[in-house]
Amino acid sequence: MNNLIRVLFILLATSWLVSCESVDSGMQKIEPGLEKLEKNFFDRDPKRLIDEGATRMSEIDVRTHVVGNTEFWDEGSVYYNPDGQLDLVWHKVRSRGSWTIAADGKVCFEVPSWNQSCHYYLVHEGEVVTIDNDRIEGILEVKPGKQLPR
């Protein structure tokens, strides 16, 4: 009886490991909440998203989205102070600078240790997608107030 249980356990464990390997082997990293999107979503051209019905956020929508909020990215986070100043953590390094929103909804950072950095947002299937350097950078988490890591 003990040998039968051992054999069944080994078969189940092997089956589980094989199924995990086959599921994970072809997957790229997918941001939380993106399970409904195909796995090559981040490799797509932002223009294709617009062709599929995504809309660019207006200046007013972007202000509502960022002002007084903290945006979280894979590499760090930024707090958009309502006075136009920003506090950010990028690769665990804290910096300060300023931010502006152009009439077309593009957000630009001025940080002394960086070149100017700009991005804009699309709304795709109800999700806010960040576009930086004409690349899809994912869907960011946004929380109210200043919530930078310590």
Side-chain angles (χ1 to χ4, degrees), residues 77-126:
S77 53
V78 63
Y79 170 67
Y80 295 91
N81 195 317
D83 68 2
Q85 297 301 302
L86 62 82
D87 293 302
L88 64 94
V89 176
W90 188 256
H91 293 281
K92 300 182 182 179
V93 176
R94 289 186 173 274
S95 299
R96 299 195 77 175
S98 61
W99 62 272
T100 58
I101 302 174
D104 66 356
K106 187 178 279 189
V107 178
C108 293
F109 294 168
E110 292 283 340
V111 178
S113 59
W114 292 11
N115 292 328
Q116 184 180 29
S117 174
C118 299
H119 62 274
Y120 64 94
Y121 303 96
L122 296 177
V123 177
H124 176 73
E125 297 181 3

Side-chain angles (χ1 to χ4, degrees), residues 32-50:
L34 291 181
E35 294 83 10
K36 66 183 178 183
L37 300 175
E38 65 271 10
K39 63 184 176 183
N40 65 349
F41 178 78
F42 295 106
D43 297 329
R44 294 168 65 183
D45 182 343
K47 292 176 185 93
R48 182 172 163 204
L49 288 182
I50 292 170

Side-chain angles (χ1 to χ4, degrees), residues 108-150:
C108 293
F109 294 168
E110 292 283 340
V111 178
S113 59
W114 292 11
N115 292 328
Q116 184 180 29
S117 174
C118 299
H119 62 274
Y120 64 94
Y121 303 96
L122 296 177
V123 177
H124 176 73
E125 297 181 3
E127 301 284 352
V128 176
V129 180
T130 305
I131 310 298
D132 185 22
N133 293 320
D134 288 322
R135 287 186 39 224
I136 296 172
E137 292 296 333
I139 296 170
L140 304 175
E141 180 179 9
V142 178
K143 292 185 179 178
K146 187 174 182 178
Q147 299 192 33
L148 296 174
R150 299 194 184 270

Side-chain angles (χ1 to χ4, degrees), residues 29-72:
K29 181 180 177 190
I30 295 183
E31 302 291 320
L34 291 181
E35 294 83 10
K36 66 183 178 183
L37 300 175
E38 65 271 10
K39 63 184 176 183
N40 65 349
F41 178 78
F42 295 106
D43 297 329
R44 294 168 65 183
D45 182 343
K47 292 176 185 93
R48 182 172 163 204
L49 288 182
I50 292 170
D51 291 343
E52 294 173 2
T55 57
R56 187 165 173 159
M57 288 178 73
S58 70
E59 176 187 8
I60 294 168
D61 292 336
V62 172
R63 282 192 188 286
T64 300
H65 182 69
V66 300
V67 174
N69 295 326
T70 302
E71 214 171 40
F72 294 87

